[in-house]
Amino acid sequence: MQNTKKYTTWESLPDTLTAQHISEFLGISRRRVYELFHVNVKDGGIPNFKIGATKRVDKADFKHWIALKKQEQVHA
């Protein structure tokens, strides 16, 4: 049986996020999430950190990033 868990609310997300969590939450591809990981945070990239070869995102940082994206839209 395939895992059908979807991360669609803030409460459903764990405190440390993977590209898969973010992909499901935002409804974008994992590839796009990884592209955003490689963009400098000052230029709109998602803040992340490495654990070995994997990238992770702190949930609080992700929430802040979303808030900044919303604010950019208001001021555009």
Side-chain angles (χ1 to χ4, degrees):
M1 181 176 220
Q2 189 176 19
N3 184 0
T4 59
K5 175 83 169 150
K6 293 290 181 186
Y7 298 96
T8 57
T9 64
W10 289 114
E11 295 77 26
S12 67
L13 289 170
D15 291 334
T16 303
L17 309 174
T18 65
Q20 183 66 38
H21 295 131
I22 294 169
S23 170
E24 290 179 9
F25 186 81
L26 295 179
I28 62 175
S29 70
R30 278 192 327 175
R31 180 181 179 136
R32 181 65 183 134
V33 173
Y34 281 111
E35 289 171 356
L36 289 167
F37 283 173
H38 286 94
V39 173
N40 189 301
V41 173
K42 292 183 288 187
D43 297 325
I46 298 174
N48 63 85
F49 58 94
K50 287 180 83 171
I51 298 178
T54 64
K55 299 218 179 203
R56 297 290 186 258
V57 176
D58 183 76
K59 183 177 178 178
D61 290 343
F62 182 57
K63 283 182 95 167
H64 182 70
W65 181 79
I66 292 286
L68 289 175
K69 290 291 160 195
K70 287 180 176 180
Q71 188 175 15
E72 286 174 8
Q73 295 299 309
V74 170
H75 292 68

